[in-house]
Amino acid sequence: MTDMIGLVAAMLTTISFLPQTLMVLRTGRTDGISLCMYALFTTGVAGWLVYGLMVGSLPVIIANAVTLVLATTILGLKVRAVLVAQRQLPAQA
Amino acid sequence: MTDMIGLVAAMLTTISFLPQTLMVLRTGRTDGISLCMYALFTTGVAGWLVYGLMVGSLPVIIANAVTLVLATTILGLKVRAVLVAQRQLPAQA
């Protein structure tokens, strides 16, 4: 029962980043998203992945590898949008 | 060393939601944020908190309690914005 709750919780927090990633990819808009949040979060998830690899925990590795791909996608698009805005160039279509 | 990496990772993923929460509270704008993401994520974090309480893990309890407060704040503001938009009423100042 306890393991099942942990498993469901891990699945929910991992897949939750999929709709946000799809939203950003679809709309191309990142202005409502905090750069600081995704910089900290992506670093943290990378840390969790390293931790999972060090302790050899497959659930920690899988959950954080998936989350890392999704969070990095959002972070990458946000960083690109910030750089484009700083250079005062129009965003590429 | 392994525990230190896990601890830093937990701190980063937990505090990462603070800048996003402050951004939403400051701007009042939630249109770039995925309702689906925060609905899944908040449920997942609540699940992690229950899991932490069941296994008696203080780090899991603390990290997820803090994240739950931050994620619930973002989710609440997003739900309010969606409800206001559905009723086609202007957002309250």
Side-chain angles (χ1 to χ4, degrees):
Chain A
M1 176 63 176
T2 308
D3 281 350
M4 184 60 81
I5 289 175
L7 203 69
V8 171
M11 281 174 60
L12 285 172
T13 51
T14 298
I15 63 162
S16 69
F17 284 87
L18 186 61
Q20 182 71 71
T21 306
L22 294 176
M23 187 183 194
V24 169
L25 286 172
R26 196 179 64 242
T27 64
R29 290 190 59 190
T30 58
D31 49 313
I33 283 171
S34 165
L35 173 63
C36 188
M37 168 185 163
Y38 279 91
L40 292 171
F41 187 78
T42 307
T43 310
V45 171
W48 274 123
L49 182 58
V50 171
Y51 176 82
L53 289 166
M54 287 174 88
V55 300
S57 167
L58 202 60
V60 174
I61 293 168
I62 294 171
N64 286 288
V66 173
T67 310
L68 188 61
V69 170
L70 298 172
T72 304
T73 305
I74 297 172
L75 179 63
L77 290 167
K78 178 69 187 181
V79 168
R80 193 180 68 169
V82 169
L83 289 175
V84 167
Q86 280 184 345
R87 287 175 194 160
Q88 296 186 312
L89 289 171
Q92 287 169 9
Chain B
M1 176 65 178
T2 308
D3 282 351
M4 185 61 80
I5 289 175
L7 203 70
V8 171
M11 281 175 59
L12 285 172
T13 51
T14 299
I15 63 161
S16 68
F17 284 87
L18 187 61
Q20 182 72 70
T21 306
L22 293 176
M23 188 183 194
V24 169
L25 286 172
R26 195 179 65 241
T27 64
R29 290 191 60 190
T30 58
D31 50 313
I33 284 169
S34 165
L35 173 62
C36 189
M37 168 185 164
Y38 278 91
L40 292 171
F41 186 79
T42 307
T43 310
V45 171
W48 274 122
L49 182 57
V50 171
Y51 175 83
L53 289 166
M54 288 173 88
V55 300
S57 166
L58 201 60
V60 174
I61 293 168
I62 293 172
N64 286 287
V66 173
T67 310
L68 188 61
V69 170
L70 298 172
T72 304
T73 304
I74 298 172
L75 178 63
L77 291 167
K78 178 69 187 180
V79 168
R80 193 181 69 170
V82 169
L83 290 175
V84 167
Q86 280 184 345
R87 288 175 194 161
Q88 296 186 312
L89 290 171
Q92 287 169 8

